[in-house]
Amino acid sequence: MIDPLDARVVLLDGETAATLAQVLPLLLLTLMVELRRVEVHRRGRIRLTRTLLALFFIAFGIVELVLVMSIDGTLIPFEWTDLLLALLIFGLLGLLFWLSLLDAPGAKRRARDDARSEHPRS
């Protein structure tokens, strides 16, 4: 008889999952820097562009979550610490997405803030 609690799901071996879990966030960060540089999030249909970026981040987060949970060599069964760390990474990716959509302060505001830092009140 087959015990359903004894099921093992292996997507990738542990070494490959660990490598991908480390490399993919660096590629995501590079991509986000370039997207900010060319201001993709402020072009064309802004709502559509931001929705597509959100869907990309969700898909990337799910892939990263699966990779982190597979680092020990199996996706199921998993360690609770793997799940907690994967959810933490998913939350940090959400924060990165939110920060990537914020507009930079205008030139006047930056100049005002710089002037305040040079001449603090006594």
Side-chain angles (χ1 to χ4, degrees), residues 20-72:
L20 287 173
Q22 292 174 4
V23 170
L24 287 179
L26 294 175
L27 293 174
L28 176 69
L29 185 59
T30 304
L31 175 66
M32 291 316 299
V33 167
E34 289 302 314
L35 288 175
R36 287 283 295 179
R37 186 180 64 81
V38 296
E39 296 184 343
V40 169
H41 65 286
R42 298 178 72 192
R43 290 186 181 178
R45 296 180 178 170
I46 294 174
R47 180 166 282 167
L48 176 64
T49 303
R50 290 183 178 193
T51 302
L52 291 174
L53 282 173
L55 291 174
F56 171 75
F57 263 83
I58 290 169
F60 186 90
I62 291 170
V63 168
E64 191 67 22
L65 189 134
V66 168
L67 288 174
V68 169
M69 289 179 60
S70 299
I71 285 178
D72 62 354

Short mmCIF file of all heavy atoms in Angstrom, two decimals, residues 20-72:
data_model
loop_
_atom_site.label_atom_id
_atom_site.label_comp_id
_atom_site.label_asym_id
_atom_site.label_seq_id
_atom_site.Cartn_x
_atom_site.Cartn_y
_atom_site.Cartn_z
N LEU A 20 20.58 28.63 -8.44
CA LEU A 20 19.55 29.47 -9.05
C LEU A 20 18.92 30.42 -8.04
O LEU A 20 18.60 31.57 -8.37
CB LEU A 20 18.48 28.61 -9.71
CG LEU A 20 18.88 27.93 -11.00
CD1 LEU A 20 17.77 26.98 -11.46
CD2 LEU A 20 19.20 28.93 -12.08
N ALA A 21 18.75 29.96 -6.81
CA ALA A 21 18.17 30.82 -5.77
C ALA A 21 19.09 31.99 -5.44
O ALA A 21 18.63 33.03 -4.98
CB ALA A 21 17.90 30.00 -4.51
N GLN A 22 20.38 31.86 -5.70
CA GLN A 22 21.32 32.95 -5.46
C GLN A 22 21.48 33.85 -6.68
O GLN A 22 21.63 35.06 -6.55
CB GLN A 22 22.69 32.39 -5.07
CG GLN A 22 22.70 31.70 -3.73
CD GLN A 22 24.02 31.03 -3.44
OE1 GLN A 22 24.96 31.13 -4.21
NE2 GLN A 22 24.09 30.35 -2.33
N VAL A 23 21.46 33.28 -7.87
CA VAL A 23 21.74 34.04 -9.09
C VAL A 23 20.52 34.82 -9.56
O VAL A 23 20.63 35.98 -9.98
CB VAL A 23 22.25 33.09 -10.20
CG1 VAL A 23 22.31 33.80 -11.53
CG2 VAL A 23 23.60 32.53 -9.83
N LEU A 24 19.33 34.24 -9.50
CA LEU A 24 18.14 34.90 -10.03
C LEU A 24 17.83 36.24 -9.36
O LEU A 24 17.46 37.19 -10.06
CB LEU A 24 16.94 33.96 -9.97
CG LEU A 24 16.96 32.82 -10.99
CD1 LEU A 24 15.74 31.93 -10.82
CD2 LEU A 24 17.03 33.34 -12.40
N PRO A 25 17.96 36.38 -8.03
CA PRO A 25 17.71 37.71 -7.45
C PRO A 25 18.68 38.78 -7.95
O PRO A 25 18.29 39.94 -8.11
CB PRO A 25 17.87 37.49 -5.94
CG PRO A 25 17.54 36.06 -5.75
CD PRO A 25 18.08 35.37 -6.97
N LEU A 26 19.92 38.41 -8.23
CA LEU A 26 20.86 39.39 -8.79
C LEU A 26 20.44 39.82 -10.18
O LEU A 26 20.53 41.00 -10.53
CB LEU A 26 22.27 38.80 -8.82
CG LEU A 26 22.89 38.52 -7.46
CD1 LEU A 26 24.24 37.81 -7.63
CD2 LEU A 26 23.05 39.81 -6.67
N LEU A 27 19.96 38.87 -10.96
CA LEU A 27 19.46 39.22 -12.29
C LEU A 27 18.21 40.10 -12.19
O LEU A 27 18.04 41.03 -12.99
CB LEU A 27 19.17 37.95 -13.09
CG LEU A 27 20.39 37.12 -13.46
CD1 LEU A 27 19.96 35.83 -14.13
CD2 LEU A 27 21.33 37.90 -14.34
N LEU A 28 17.35 39.81 -11.23
CA LEU A 28 16.16 40.64 -11.03
C LEU A 28 16.55 42.06 -10.65
O LEU A 28 15.98 43.02 -11.16
CB LEU A 28 15.26 40.04 -9.95
CG LEU A 28 14.04 40.88 -9.60
CD1 LEU A 28 13.06 40.91 -10.76
CD2 LEU A 28 13.38 40.36 -8.35
N LEU A 29 17.52 42.19 -9.76
CA LEU A 29 17.97 43.52 -9.35
C LEU A 29 18.55 44.29 -10.54
O LEU A 29 18.26 45.47 -10.72
CB LEU A 29 19.00 43.40 -8.23
CG LEU A 29 19.48 44.68 -7.61
CD1 LEU A 29 18.31 45.47 -7.02
CD2 LEU A 29 20.51 44.40 -6.55
N THR A 30 19.34 43.62 -11.36
CA THR A 30 19.88 44.26 -12.55
C THR A 30 18.76 44.69 -13.49
O THR A 30 18.78 45.80 -14.03
CB THR A 30 20.83 43.28 -13.28
OG1 THR A 30 21.84 42.86 -12.37
CG2 THR A 30 21.46 43.93 -14.49
N LEU A 31 17.78 43.83 -13.67
CA LEU A 31 16.63 44.17 -14.52
C LEU A 31 15.89 45.38 -13.98
O LEU A 31 15.53 46.29 -14.73
CB LEU A 31 15.69 42.97 -14.63
CG LEU A 31 14.39 43.22 -15.38
CD1 LEU A 31 14.67 43.49 -16.85
CD2 LEU A 31 13.46 42.04 -15.22
N MET A 32 15.67 45.44 -12.67
CA MET A 32 14.93 46.56 -12.08
C MET A 32 15.70 47.87 -12.20
O MET A 32 15.11 48.93 -12.42
CB MET A 32 14.57 46.27 -10.63
CG MET A 32 13.53 45.19 -10.47
SD MET A 32 12.13 45.29 -11.61
CE MET A 32 11.43 46.85 -11.19
N VAL A 33 17.02 47.82 -12.07
CA VAL A 33 17.83 49.02 -12.26
C VAL A 33 17.68 49.54 -13.68
O VAL A 33 17.50 50.74 -13.91
CB VAL A 33 19.31 48.74 -11.93
CG1 VAL A 33 20.22 49.87 -12.40
CG2 VAL A 33 19.49 48.53 -10.43
N GLU A 34 17.71 48.64 -14.64
CA GLU A 34 17.56 49.06 -16.04
C GLU A 34 16.15 49.56 -16.33
O GLU A 34 15.97 50.54 -17.06
CB GLU A 34 17.93 47.91 -16.98
CG GLU A 34 19.41 47.61 -17.00
CD GLU A 34 20.24 48.81 -17.40
OE1 GLU A 34 19.90 49.50 -18.38
OE2 GLU A 34 21.24 49.08 -16.70
N LEU A 35 15.15 48.91 -15.75
CA LEU A 35 13.77 49.38 -15.96
C LEU A 35 13.58 50.77 -15.37
O LEU A 35 12.88 51.61 -15.94
CB LEU A 35 12.77 48.40 -15.36
CG LEU A 35 12.61 47.07 -16.08
CD1 LEU A 35 11.68 46.16 -15.31
CD2 LEU A 35 12.13 47.28 -17.50
N ARG A 36 14.19 51.04 -14.21
CA ARG A 36 14.10 52.37 -13.60
C ARG A 36 14.84 53.39 -14.47
O ARG A 36 14.39 54.52 -14.63
CB ARG A 36 14.71 52.38 -12.20
CG ARG A 36 13.91 51.71 -11.15
CD ARG A 36 12.77 52.50 -10.68
NE ARG A 36 13.18 53.71 -10.00
CZ ARG A 36 12.33 54.57 -9.51
NH1 ARG A 36 11.05 54.34 -9.60
NH2 ARG A 36 12.73 55.66 -8.92
N ARG A 37 15.98 52.98 -15.01
CA ARG A 37 16.79 53.91 -15.80
C ARG A 37 16.03 54.37 -17.04
O ARG A 37 16.05 55.56 -17.38
CB ARG A 37 18.10 53.23 -16.21
CG ARG A 37 19.08 54.16 -16.92
CD ARG A 37 20.35 53.43 -17.29
NE ARG A 37 20.14 52.36 -18.24
CZ ARG A 37 20.02 52.53 -19.56
NH1 ARG A 37 20.07 53.73 -20.07
NH2 ARG A 37 19.84 51.50 -20.34
N VAL A 38 15.34 53.48 -17.70
CA VAL A 38 14.59 53.86 -18.91
C VAL A 38 13.15 54.22 -18.59
O VAL A 38 12.38 54.53 -19.49
CB VAL A 38 14.65 52.74 -19.98
CG1 VAL A 38 16.06 52.53 -20.46
CG2 VAL A 38 14.05 51.46 -19.49
N GLU A 39 12.78 54.19 -17.30
CA GLU A 39 11.46 54.60 -16.81
C GLU A 39 10.31 53.88 -17.52
O GLU A 39 9.34 54.50 -17.93
CB GLU A 39 11.30 56.11 -16.89
CG GLU A 39 12.26 56.86 -15.99
CD GLU A 39 12.02 58.37 -16.00
OE1 GLU A 39 11.34 58.88 -16.92
OE2 GLU A 39 12.52 59.01 -15.08
N VAL A 40 10.44 52.58 -17.63
CA VAL A 40 9.40 51.78 -18.27
C VAL A 40 8.09 51.91 -17.49
O VAL A 40 7.00 51.92 -18.09
CB VAL A 40 9.84 50.30 -18.36
CG1 VAL A 40 8.70 49.41 -18.76
CG2 VAL A 40 10.97 50.18 -19.35
N HIS A 41 8.17 52.03 -16.17
CA HIS A 41 6.96 52.08 -15.35
C HIS A 41 6.19 53.38 -15.50
O HIS A 41 5.12 53.54 -14.95
CB HIS A 41 7.32 51.86 -13.88
CG HIS A 41 8.17 52.95 -13.30
ND1 HIS A 41 9.50 53.09 -13.61
CD2 HIS A 41 7.87 53.95 -12.45
CE1 HIS A 41 9.98 54.14 -12.97
NE2 HIS A 41 9.02 54.67 -12.26
N ARG A 42 6.73 54.33 -16.28
CA ARG A 42 6.05 55.61 -16.49
C ARG A 42 5.72 55.87 -17.96
O ARG A 42 5.37 56.97 -18.33
CB ARG A 42 6.93 56.75 -15.97
CG ARG A 42 7.18 56.62 -14.48
CD ARG A 42 8.08 57.69 -13.98
NE ARG A 42 7.35 58.94 -13.96
CZ ARG A 42 7.92 60.11 -13.79
NH1 ARG A 42 9.21 60.21 -13.64
NH2 ARG A 42 7.19 61.21 -13.78
N ARG A 43 5.83 54.85 -18.80
CA ARG A 43 5.58 55.00 -20.23
C ARG A 43 4.26 54.37 -20.64
O ARG A 43 3.80 53.42 -20.03
CB ARG A 43 6.69 54.32 -21.03
CG ARG A 43 8.00 54.99 -20.95
CD ARG A 43 8.95 54.30 -21.88
NE ARG A 43 10.26 54.91 -21.82
CZ ARG A 43 11.28 54.47 -22.50
NH1 ARG A 43 11.15 53.43 -23.30
NH2 ARG A 43 12.43 55.07 -22.40
N GLY A 44 3.73 54.88 -21.74
CA GLY A 44 2.54 54.27 -22.34
C GLY A 44 1.37 54.19 -21.38
O GLY A 44 1.09 55.12 -20.63
N ARG A 45 0.69 53.08 -21.42
CA ARG A 45 -0.43 52.84 -20.52
C ARG A 45 0.15 52.43 -19.17
O ARG A 45 0.52 51.27 -18.97
CB ARG A 45 -1.32 51.75 -21.06
CG ARG A 45 -1.98 52.13 -22.35
CD ARG A 45 -2.85 51.00 -22.81
NE ARG A 45 -3.52 51.37 -24.05
CZ ARG A 45 -4.19 50.51 -24.77
NH1 ARG A 45 -4.27 49.24 -24.39
NH2 ARG A 45 -4.78 50.91 -25.86
N ILE A 46 0.19 53.37 -18.26
CA ILE A 46 0.88 53.15 -16.99
C ILE A 46 0.24 52.01 -16.20
O ILE A 46 0.95 51.17 -15.64
CB ILE A 46 0.91 54.46 -16.17
CG1 ILE A 46 1.78 55.48 -16.91
CG2 ILE A 46 1.43 54.21 -14.77
CD1 ILE A 46 1.78 56.85 -16.28
N ARG A 47 -1.06 51.97 -16.16
CA ARG A 47 -1.74 50.91 -15.39
C ARG A 47 -1.41 49.53 -15.96
O ARG A 47 -1.13 48.59 -15.22
CB ARG A 47 -3.23 51.15 -15.37
CG ARG A 47 -3.97 50.08 -14.59
CD ARG A 47 -5.36 50.46 -14.28
NE ARG A 47 -5.29 51.39 -13.15
CZ ARG A 47 -6.29 52.12 -12.74
NH1 ARG A 47 -7.43 52.08 -13.35
NH2 ARG A 47 -6.16 52.91 -11.70
N LEU A 48 -1.43 49.39 -17.28
CA LEU A 48 -1.11 48.11 -17.92
C LEU A 48 0.35 47.74 -17.65
O LEU A 48 0.65 46.58 -17.32
CB LEU A 48 -1.38 48.18 -19.42
CG LEU A 48 -0.99 46.93 -20.21
CD1 LEU A 48 -1.85 45.75 -19.77
CD2 LEU A 48 -1.14 47.19 -21.70
N THR A 49 1.24 48.69 -17.80
CA THR A 49 2.66 48.43 -17.57
C THR A 49 2.91 47.98 -16.14
O THR A 49 3.62 47.01 -15.90
CB THR A 49 3.49 49.70 -17.87
OG1 THR A 49 3.24 50.12 -19.21
CG2 THR A 49 4.97 49.43 -17.70
N ARG A 50 2.32 48.66 -15.18
CA ARG A 50 2.51 48.29 -13.78
C ARG A 50 1.86 46.95 -13.46
O ARG A 50 2.38 46.18 -12.66
CB ARG A 50 1.99 49.39 -12.87
CG ARG A 50 2.87 50.63 -12.94
CD ARG A 50 2.44 51.70 -12.02
NE ARG A 50 3.37 52.84 -12.11
CZ ARG A 50 3.39 53.81 -11.26
NH1 ARG A 50 2.54 53.85 -10.25
NH2 ARG A 50 4.26 54.79 -11.40
N THR A 51 0.74 46.65 -14.09
CA THR A 51 0.10 45.35 -13.90
C THR A 51 0.99 44.23 -14.43
O THR A 51 1.15 43.19 -13.77
CB THR A 51 -1.27 45.31 -14.58
OG1 THR A 51 -2.09 46.36 -14.05
CG2 THR A 51 -1.95 43.97 -14.38
N LEU A 52 1.57 44.44 -15.61
CA LEU A 52 2.47 43.43 -16.17
C LEU A 52 3.71 43.25 -15.29
O LEU A 52 4.17 42.12 -15.09
CB LEU A 52 2.87 43.81 -17.60
CG LEU A 52 1.76 43.72 -18.64
CD1 LEU A 52 2.23 44.25 -19.98
CD2 LEU A 52 1.26 42.29 -18.76
N LEU A 53 4.25 44.36 -14.77
CA LEU A 53 5.39 44.25 -13.86
C LEU A 53 4.99 43.49 -12.59
O LEU A 53 5.77 42.67 -12.08
CB LEU A 53 5.92 45.63 -13.50
CG LEU A 53 6.78 46.32 -14.54
CD1 LEU A 53 7.10 47.74 -14.11
CD2 LEU A 53 8.06 45.56 -14.77
N ALA A 54 3.80 43.75 -12.08
CA ALA A 54 3.34 43.05 -10.88
C ALA A 54 3.20 41.55 -11.15
O ALA A 54 3.61 40.72 -10.33
CB ALA A 54 2.02 43.63 -10.40
N LEU A 55 2.64 41.19 -12.30
CA LEU A 55 2.51 39.78 -12.66
C LEU A 55 3.87 39.12 -12.80
O LEU A 55 4.07 37.97 -12.38
CB LEU A 55 1.69 39.62 -13.94
CG LEU A 55 0.22 39.97 -13.83
CD1 LEU A 55 -0.45 39.92 -15.20
CD2 LEU A 55 -0.47 39.05 -12.85
N PHE A 56 4.83 39.84 -13.38
CA PHE A 56 6.18 39.32 -13.50
C PHE A 56 6.79 39.09 -12.12
O PHE A 56 7.39 38.04 -11.86
CB PHE A 56 7.07 40.28 -14.30
CG PHE A 56 8.52 39.89 -14.27
CD1 PHE A 56 8.97 38.83 -15.03
CD2 PHE A 56 9.42 40.57 -13.47
CE1 PHE A 56 10.31 38.45 -14.99
CE2 PHE A 56 10.75 40.20 -13.43
CZ PHE A 56 11.19 39.14 -14.20
N PHE A 57 6.63 40.05 -11.20
CA PHE A 57 7.17 39.89 -9.85
C PHE A 57 6.51 38.73 -9.12
O PHE A 57 7.18 37.99 -8.39
CB PHE A 57 6.98 41.18 -9.05
CG PHE A 57 8.21 42.04 -9.03
CD1 PHE A 57 8.46 42.90 -10.08
CD2 PHE A 57 9.09 42.00 -7.98
CE1 PHE A 57 9.57 43.70 -10.07
CE2 PHE A 57 10.21 42.79 -7.96
CZ PHE A 57 10.46 43.66 -9.01
N ILE A 58 5.21 38.54 -9.29
CA ILE A 58 4.53 37.42 -8.65
C ILE A 58 5.07 36.09 -9.19
O ILE A 58 5.37 35.18 -8.42
CB ILE A 58 3.01 37.54 -8.84
CG1 ILE A 58 2.47 38.70 -8.00
CG2 ILE A 58 2.30 36.24 -8.46
CD1 ILE A 58 1.04 39.07 -8.30
N ALA A 59 5.20 36.00 -10.52
CA ALA A 59 5.74 34.77 -11.12
C ALA A 59 7.17 34.54 -10.66
O ALA A 59 7.55 33.40 -10.30
CB ALA A 59 5.67 34.85 -12.64
N PHE A 60 7.98 35.60 -10.63
CA PHE A 60 9.36 35.47 -10.18
C PHE A 60 9.40 35.04 -8.71
O PHE A 60 10.20 34.20 -8.33
CB PHE A 60 10.10 36.80 -10.36
CG PHE A 60 11.57 36.70 -10.05
CD1 PHE A 60 12.46 36.37 -11.05
CD2 PHE A 60 12.05 36.91 -8.78
CE1 PHE A 60 13.81 36.26 -10.78
CE2 PHE A 60 13.39 36.81 -8.49
CZ PHE A 60 14.27 36.48 -9.50
N GLY A 61 8.52 35.61 -7.90
CA GLY A 61 8.46 35.25 -6.49
C GLY A 61 8.09 33.80 -6.28
O GLY A 61 8.65 33.13 -5.41
N ILE A 62 7.17 33.30 -7.08
CA ILE A 62 6.78 31.89 -6.96
C ILE A 62 7.94 30.97 -7.36
O ILE A 62 8.22 29.98 -6.67
CB ILE A 62 5.52 31.61 -7.79
CG1 ILE A 62 4.32 32.32 -7.15
CG2 ILE A 62 5.26 30.11 -7.94
CD1 ILE A 62 3.07 32.32 -8.00
N VAL A 63 8.63 31.32 -8.44
CA VAL A 63 9.79 30.53 -8.85
C VAL A 63 10.85 30.54 -7.76
O VAL A 63 11.42 29.50 -7.41
CB VAL A 63 10.35 31.05 -10.19
CG1 VAL A 63 11.71 30.45 -10.49
CG2 VAL A 63 9.38 30.76 -11.33
N GLU A 64 11.13 31.71 -7.21
CA GLU A 64 12.13 31.83 -6.16
C GLU A 64 11.71 31.07 -4.90
O GLU A 64 12.52 30.41 -4.25
CB GLU A 64 12.37 33.30 -5.84
CG GLU A 64 13.56 33.56 -4.96
CD GLU A 64 14.89 33.25 -5.61
OE1 GLU A 64 14.98 33.23 -6.85
OE2 GLU A 64 15.84 33.02 -4.86
N LEU A 65 10.42 31.11 -4.58
CA LEU A 65 9.90 30.38 -3.43
C LEU A 65 10.11 28.87 -3.62
O LEU A 65 10.58 28.18 -2.71
CB LEU A 65 8.41 30.68 -3.27
CG LEU A 65 7.74 30.17 -2.01
CD1 LEU A 65 6.88 31.30 -1.43
CD2 LEU A 65 6.86 29.00 -2.30
N VAL A 66 9.82 28.36 -4.80
CA VAL A 66 10.02 26.94 -5.08
C VAL A 66 11.50 26.58 -5.03
O VAL A 66 11.88 25.53 -4.49
CB VAL A 66 9.40 26.57 -6.45
CG1 VAL A 66 9.82 25.19 -6.90
CG2 VAL A 66 7.88 26.67 -6.38
N LEU A 67 12.36 27.44 -5.56
CA LEU A 67 13.79 27.15 -5.54
C LEU A 67 14.33 27.12 -4.11
O LEU A 67 15.11 26.23 -3.76
CB LEU A 67 14.56 28.19 -6.37
CG LEU A 67 14.39 28.09 -7.87
CD1 LEU A 67 15.08 29.25 -8.57
CD2 LEU A 67 14.92 26.76 -8.39
N VAL A 68 13.94 28.07 -3.30
CA VAL A 68 14.42 28.09 -1.92
C VAL A 68 13.92 26.86 -1.16
O VAL A 68 14.65 26.26 -0.37
CB VAL A 68 14.00 29.40 -1.21
CG1 VAL A 68 14.25 29.33 0.27
CG2 VAL A 68 14.74 30.58 -1.81
N MET A 69 12.68 26.46 -1.41
CA MET A 69 12.15 25.28 -0.72
C MET A 69 12.79 23.99 -1.25
O MET A 69 12.75 22.97 -0.57
CB MET A 69 10.63 25.23 -0.87
CG MET A 69 9.94 26.29 -0.05
SD MET A 69 8.16 26.28 -0.22
CE MET A 69 7.75 24.65 0.36
N SER A 70 13.40 24.04 -2.44
CA SER A 70 14.03 22.85 -3.02
C SER A 70 15.51 22.75 -2.73
O SER A 70 16.17 21.84 -3.23
CB SER A 70 13.82 22.85 -4.54
OG SER A 70 12.46 22.81 -4.87
N ILE A 71 16.06 23.66 -1.96
CA ILE A 71 17.50 23.66 -1.72
C ILE A 71 17.98 22.37 -1.06
O ILE A 71 19.06 21.88 -1.34
CB ILE A 71 17.92 24.91 -0.91
CG1 ILE A 71 17.88 26.12 -1.83
CG2 ILE A 71 19.30 24.76 -0.31
CD1 ILE A 71 18.21 27.42 -1.17
N ASP A 72 17.15 21.78 -0.21
CA ASP A 72 17.56 20.53 0.44
C ASP A 72 17.41 19.31 -0.47
O ASP A 72 17.70 18.20 -0.08
CB ASP A 72 16.81 20.32 1.75
CG ASP A 72 15.31 20.19 1.56
OD1 ASP A 72 14.84 20.37 0.43
OD2 ASP A 72 14.63 19.94 2.55
#
